[in-house]
Amino acid sequence: MIARMSLLSRWLRQRGLAVRQFLFLFLVTSLLFVLLGWINWIESKKLWEEQAASDAQALAGRTNQLIDAYLDNVQNLLLLLATREDREQLLADGNETWATQALENLERTRNAVARSFFIVRQDGKVYSNSQVFYDIMGNPHLEKLYELSQAQYGAINSEPYWSPLSGQSVGYVQPIYGKTGQKLGIAVAEIDLQLLTQQIAQLLLSKNQSFAIVTKKNNVITSLQIPDRLLPYEPGVYPPQLQSGFVRKLSELPAGVSPIDGAIGPLVAVKTSPNRLGWSLYLFIEQQYFDQHLLKLYEKFRYIALIWISLLLISTYLMSRYFTSPVRKLAAKMDRVRDVEVLSPLNVNREDEIGRLAHSYNELLERIQQLLQETKNAERRKKEYELKMLQSQIAPHFLYNTLACVSSLARQRKTDEVRDTIKSLVGLLSFSFDKSTEFVTLAEELEGLNRYAQIQQIRYGDKFRLLADVEPAALEARMLKLTLQPLVENSIFHGLAPRKAPGTILVRGRITARGTLRLTIRDTGIGMDAAQIRRVWEPDGRPRSRQRFTGIGVKNVHERIRLYYGERYGLRIASRPGIGTVVRIEMPFEPMPEGVREAFGPMPLDS
């Protein structure tokens, strides 16, 4: 039946709108005729559950209290025996009579809780309150109970079994330990299930109801001498036993109210949650008992005509909503498309034209999001690749020329100049090769620029002066490493070196009102015309000068800034032949979290 309904539902989802509209109208009209039966079923079920739950809650509470008190008495008796001060002497060899008398005294104070008591020593010796009967009939279950106690430390109970001395019973076991912790044996009490059943029956049994207590292993605890009429029992078996198939069905029932077939007809079974011993109480109530509550439902028949008209109007409205709502949702979803990265797909549970349209929309959205992610990953890889390439291009000829200068100064015995040049070279190389981060503070960038200028001044003498005018707050700005050095290098080689007279390079830094960091590099070199400025931005493929510190050019600095901060940031160049060149850099002002080095004001950056 379920498979057919699944096939029918799948077939219906695959039909067009016209077919589904016709079927919808037909089914709505047909369902109105079965509305009365559906209402009766819902109301009846509600009444059954309310009545059964109310009765079961009160009865189960009193029953569980009775069972707990019953078993607490057994446990207290066994604890009394297991914690005796003379328990080690009691279980010693030669004290059999003493041990038997102790069990007989325990049996006389049992208050009809247990029928038999035993002590099983470590060596297998057994004492009983009815030692004579035990010696004759024995008890094969004691060995199993002893094995059961080996796996647990505290008191335990067994599944029900037939005892030669106690009849249908449950063994309650309490290990006995010596004062030093060694195990001496176990104390066993066989519970009187017949008495337990009779006491529970006084609470639960009535003309229209019955009960059963079942362990977690589907063994029945209750032991009635006379079977009741509601439950199915095995024929010709004494004492009466519930049919195994019926017990198996009970184990499959959930906690709460459920229907089940009994011996004389349908029953309502109320199952409680397992108690501390894993026993579940089942209360069975005859279904006819609830029929008296169904008479009130017949009064609802007079309102069926009004309900029929109302439902017809409502179903017409719902039909319109059913076909138009998905289209409106899809249109609204598409109207809200602004950021496809955070837009969630549509929930699709249809296979008609609307469902296919929604599927196409979801696939399109997924593809766009995938392409965006791929583009972002490609950009990220591009940035990493370009930065690694740019920062690894330390020109070897710069090192060669600098070391040649150091050698020349050494031959001239200019010790101070040699020391300062080597110190600047080491600091500059450490600054350039540091791979821990791609970012530095403006103060650190200026410090590296100062070391570079000191090395070049050793070579060119007083050919140029490098000045800095940076406001203290700007020194904390976070920026890309080796941003200023390539621009100052261009000013030295292309602006000031061709001049005969000395020149000046001024580095200025300010934080604008818009929250951006503006850096300008102004030189008094030979300047450039418009054609030369255009060639600065065009990659010409020509090799860089061997005198350069790195292979990073003006265009590379501009692209690095735009890759990291966006298209609105970067470099601007203005120049006039014979006057000089100005390069302006703009980037967002972001303070470095770790702090910066000590700021310095306008001053010559000589060594």
Side-chain angles (χ1 to χ4, degrees), residues 351-592:
E351 296 183 11
D352 54 10
E353 293 84 353
I354 297 176
R356 290 194 292 271
L357 180 62
H359 276 297
S360 300
Y361 170 79
N362 288 339
E363 291 175 358
L364 176 62
L365 183 63
E366 182 180 357
R367 182 56 180 164
I368 292 175
Q369 292 173 340
Q370 182 180 358
L371 290 175
L372 286 176
Q373 188 62 37
E374 292 175 357
T375 302
K376 286 187 174 182
N377 292 337
E379 289 294 331
R380 179 178 54 80
R381 291 193 297 268
K382 178 182 177 183
K383 290 179 182 180
E384 294 175 353
Y385 173 76
E386 291 180 357
L387 289 175
K388 290 178 180 178
M389 291 296 295
L390 291 174
Q391 294 188 358
S392 63
Q393 297 173 352
I394 303 299
H397 283 273
F398 172 82
L399 300 176
Y400 173 80
N401 293 333
T402 302
L403 294 176
C405 288
V406 171
S407 176
S408 175
L409 292 172
R411 286 195 299 270
Q412 300 174 33
R413 299 184 181 277
K414 296 181 178 182
T415 307
D416 294 339
E417 286 82 352
V418 169
R419 182 178 62 253
D420 294 340
T421 303
I422 293 177
K423 181 179 178 181
S424 297
L425 178 62
V426 171
L428 182 62
L429 293 179
S430 299
F431 175 75
S432 302
F433 284 121
D434 182 14
K435 302 297 183 182
S436 61
T437 178
E438 305 293 343
F439 293 90
V440 295
T441 63
L442 177 56
E444 292 170 336
E445 179 76 3
L446 290 173
E447 184 178 351
L449 188 62
N450 182 24
R451 297 180 184 278
Y452 172 77
Q454 193 274 338
I455 294 174
Q456 295 296 352
Q457 285 173 344
I458 293 297
R459 297 181 56 193
Y460 293 98
D462 297 331
K463 192 70 176 177
F464 71 93
R465 285 195 312 155
L466 180 62
L467 303 176
D469 181 13
V470 181
E471 63 182 44
L475 292 173
E476 300 179 359
R478 176 176 176 266
M479 62 184 301
L480 288 167
K481 187 190 300 183
L482 294 179
T483 297
L484 299 179
Q485 185 275 332
L487 305 179
V488 172
E489 190 174 54
N490 269 351
S491 296
I492 295 174
F493 286 108
H494 299 292
L496 300 178
R499 286 172 54 99
K500 295 182 180 180
T504 302
I505 301 174
L506 174 63
V507 179
R508 179 177 303 220
R510 296 289 184 270
I511 301 174
T512 67
R514 295 181 301 170
T516 61
L517 176 64
R518 178 175 294 173
L519 300 172
T520 56
I521 301 174
R522 182 189 301 271
D523 66 60
T524 58
I526 62 175
M528 296 181 291
D529 55 24
Q532 290 174 316
I533 293 177
R534 283 195 299 270
R535 284 196 294 270
V536 171
W537 301 110
E538 296 175 356
D540 52 11
R542 293 178 298 178
R544 296 289 177 185
S545 171
R546 294 185 175 183
Q547 308 299 325
R548 284 186 173 275
F549 174 60
T550 68
I552 303 176
V554 175
K555 182 175 176 58
N556 284 334
V557 174
H558 177 67
E559 291 299 328
R560 288 175 64 201
I561 295 175
R562 287 163 61 90
L563 281 172
Y564 268 95
Y565 300 114
E567 300 292 330
R568 57 179 293 193
Y569 301 104
L571 273 62
R572 291 187 179 182
I573 301 177
S575 182
R576 293 184 63 182
I579 296 179
T581 302
V582 177
V583 180
R584 190 178 74 181
I585 306 172
E586 283 203 7
M587 64 184 68
F589 174 70
E590 300 175 355
M592 201 72 163

Side-chain angles (χ1 to χ4, degrees), residues 241-445:
Q241 295 182 5
L242 291 176
Q243 293 181 1
S244 58
F246 182 76
V247 176
R248 184 171 60 254
K249 292 180 181 179
L250 292 180
S251 64
E252 298 172 355
L253 296 180
V257 182
S258 304
I260 193 171
D261 292 331
I264 62 173
L267 303 174
V268 176
V270 181
K271 179 182 179 180
T272 65
S273 300
N275 64 6
R276 63 179 184 178
L277 298 179
W279 296 357
S280 297
L281 172 65
Y282 294 84
L283 178 63
F284 304 98
I285 306 173
E286 193 173 2
Q287 188 172 352
Q288 294 180 356
Y289 174 75
F290 297 100
D291 293 342
Q292 55 184 331
H293 301 288
L294 302 179
L295 296 177
K296 68 173 75 173
L297 298 178
Y298 297 146
E299 299 177 3
K300 300 182 182 295
F301 290 167
R302 67 186 66 182
Y303 304 111
I304 292 302
L306 294 176
I307 295 176
W308 185 85
I309 296 174
S310 300
L311 286 179
L312 184 59
L313 295 175
I314 294 174
S315 63
T316 304
Y317 171 76
L318 292 178
M319 180 187 65
S320 175
R321 290 289 303 271
Y322 176 77
F323 289 111
T324 59
S325 179
V327 178
R328 290 198 301 269
K329 288 181 180 179
L330 178 59
K333 196 80 171 182
M334 297 179 70
D335 290 340
R336 291 197 299 268
V337 174
R338 294 294 184 272
D339 187 0
V340 295
E341 296 181 2
V342 298
L343 194 62
S344 58
L346 292 173
N347 294 325
V348 182
N349 53 7
R350 308 170 60 120
E351 296 183 11
D352 54 10
E353 293 84 353
I354 297 176
R356 290 194 292 271
L357 180 62
H359 276 297
S360 300
Y361 170 79
N362 288 339
E363 291 175 358
L364 176 62
L365 183 63
E366 182 180 357
R367 182 56 180 164
I368 292 175
Q369 292 173 340
Q370 182 180 358
L371 290 175
L372 286 176
Q373 188 62 37
E374 292 175 357
T375 302
K376 286 187 174 182
N377 292 337
E379 289 294 331
R380 179 178 54 80
R381 291 193 297 268
K382 178 182 177 183
K383 290 179 182 180
E384 294 175 353
Y385 173 76
E386 291 180 357
L387 289 175
K388 290 178 180 178
M389 291 296 295
L390 291 174
Q391 294 188 358
S392 63
Q393 297 173 352
I394 303 299
H397 283 273
F398 172 82
L399 300 176
Y400 173 80
N401 293 333
T402 302
L403 294 176
C405 288
V406 171
S407 176
S408 175
L409 292 172
R411 286 195 299 270
Q412 300 174 33
R413 299 184 181 277
K414 296 181 178 182
T415 307
D416 294 339
E417 286 82 352
V418 169
R419 182 178 62 253
D420 294 340
T421 303
I422 293 177
K423 181 179 178 181
S424 297
L425 178 62
V426 171
L428 182 62
L429 293 179
S430 299
F431 175 75
S432 302
F433 284 121
D434 182 14
K435 302 297 183 182
S436 61
T437 178
E438 305 293 343
F439 293 90
V440 295
T441 63
L442 177 56
E444 292 170 336
E445 179 76 3

